[in-house]
Amino acid sequence: MTDEGRTPPPDPAAESRLDDTHRPGLECWVEGASKHPDFPIQNLPLCVFDAPGEAPRVGIGIGDMILDLSAVIDAGLMDTLPPDVAAASRDRSLNALMALGRPAARALRRAASLLLRTDTEEGRFARGVDASRILVAQDQVRLLVPAVIGDYTDFYASVYHATNVGSMFRPDNPLLPNYKWVPIGYHGRASSIVPSGTAVRRPRGQLRDDPSQPPVVAPTRRLDYELEVGAFVAGGNALGEPIPIDRAEEHLFGLCLVNDWSARDMQTWEYQPLGPFLAKNFATTVSPWVVTLDALVPFRAPAFARAEGDPSPLPYLASGENESGGGFDITLEVHLRSAKMRDEGKEAVRLSRSQFTGMYWTLAQMLTHHASNGCNLRPGDLIASGTVSGPEKDQRGCLLELTWRGGEPITLPTGEERRFLEDGDELVMRAWCERDGFARIGFGECRGEVLPPERRDSSQSS
């Protein structure tokens, strides 16, 4: 298996897709952009934002500012954009851009790069415009879910996560026979997807800790997070038409971070025989920034190196291009800060750090399998990877694994213990890509705080 601590070699095919937007020496006229750890000019992630009394609009992250695309286009600063791309860039969500597919994202990113550089005619002209007309500070606006998500599918693509969880419940048979043959997933709930920063209320549900007693309805006692990477669908496919593996990435617009909140005690009771339901659909948090696949070109990596004896992917999931460059070299971290830590002025503590190169299935394989039966995917649909875990304990992407089902609690700097999340806990997920010879780019934050359960009067279930 792949050594989780080793930086994978670059993808040769990706090298051929590098262009001037990836050059590490680019200089941006926006003050402080080159010093921002996540959003230098080589990234240019897309977002949707609004301000009080204003309609949502599309923007591009640059440093700690947002380039307001409606204002830019109205000012005539992107006249070279194709008319359909310009119109989609002035919409209230990213769906219109996603419907136009990867070429639209590429054209917009290139136009923004030219506009923000110090060494281009477009950049020199833009510098002559009052910056307050086209740039807004990120901390002065509200960042929204970047697309109207029609459908959401969550996968289970980390063999380390699947093996750990299986070991808790089936020590003699951690992986079920189908795992290495088929990307496992379930359909989530799009209506409960919320943007980073939204507080999440502890859910109630049926719990049954004692097999000899009937279940009770109560707030979950085993609330958990799951560190995941999400991918937004571009273009889509007609009902009944599969997407071949070699065309799968044409249907991937960009990536974000996902926290798939989970109520483990509810999940244990309800998942048989049909799988996740209320334990998963009460909230899913997404980061507001969509890092396009074109920005990620320098950080492509080979697909996961399967162990000797593992089956090769079936033909519809196999391609040389996916094998050599279907992965993304992304580092992900989870940080936790309890209410007591905040009161005492203590910083958040890092719970884990993992690598997205350790996923057994690539995003292209997930998308191809999803559509293999003719399922129609639509622009703005969200696909999530499942928990990103690695082979070491500090690379486990959820508390279920980190505390081994609560039996090995984590001690916080305040002396508090955590088996699962407590009310007042705040989770922050971050991710970035870096490679010698290129500028580091990041994904921003995926943040959420746990609120107590909703109060109910005595006439309701306890």
Side-chain angles (χ1 to χ4, degrees), residues 149-173:
I149 300 170
D151 280 297
Y152 160 51
T153 303
D154 197 11
F155 282 86
Y156 194 49
S158 167
V159 70
Y160 301 115
H161 174 65
T163 301
N164 283 336
V165 173
S167 296
M168 297 174 199
F169 299 93
R170 301 179 304 275
D172 298 330
N173 186 30

Side-chain angles (χ1 to χ4, degrees), residues 10 143 149-150 184 223 246 290 298 316 324 328 398:
L143 292 164
I149 300 170
I184 303 297
L223 184 62
D246 285 330
V290 181
Y316 79 100
S324 65
F328 295 86
C398 64

Side-chain angles (χ1 to χ4, degrees), residues 46 62 78 117 131-132 145 182 208 219 269 281 318 334 350 354 358 375 401 443 451:
L46 289 154
I62 180 68
M78 282 189 177
R117 284 164 54 176
S132 66
V145 175
V182 57
R208 192 187 189 194
W269 172 236
N281 68 9
V334 180
R350 190 180 81 194
S354 53
C375 175
E401 293 178 82
F443 288 73
L451 296 181

Side-chain angles (χ1 to χ4, degrees), residues 94-110:
L94 291 179
N95 292 69
L97 275 168
M98 292 173 177
L100 295 175
R102 288 279 304 282
R106 188 174 300 117
L108 179 58
R109 182 173 173 276
R110 178 161 184 78

